[in-house]
Amino acid sequence: MAINPDFVKTKPLHVRVDLDGFHSLGRTVGDLRSKPAHEPNMDVCLEVDAERFLEHFLSKVV
């Protein structure tokens, strides 16, 4: 997160866009397996400290 990376918890994952699936066509799919088939290609945000973020946001706009 560009503002403050401490607002979020991330995990490196291999993510791709599903181009073949019927129900998941166009969706991003992250490989969450313990031994993924490919190396991670991005950091994915899994948690947000919403209270701290909101406090920071409101301090800038109010």
Side-chain angles (χ1 to χ4, degrees), residues 2-62:
I3 296 170
N4 183 344
D6 293 334
F7 290 151
V8 297
K9 290 184 182 175
T10 62
K11 181 175 183 174
L13 292 176
H14 181 82
V15 178
R16 65 178 183 84
V17 177
D18 187 352
L19 302 175
D20 302 314
F22 179 75
H23 295 290
S24 59
L25 181 64
R27 293 183 182 179
T28 53
V29 179
D31 191 344
L32 297 169
R33 296 177 292 187
S34 60
K35 295 187 179 195
H38 302 284
E39 291 294 316
N41 58 357
M42 67 177 62
D43 288 331
V44 176
C45 177
L46 299 176
E47 293 182 37
V48 177
D49 187 338
E51 187 175 318
R52 282 185 57 220
F53 173 77
L54 185 59
E55 182 180 309
H56 171 79
F57 177 77
L58 292 175
S59 76
K60 301 298 181 191
V61 296
V62 177

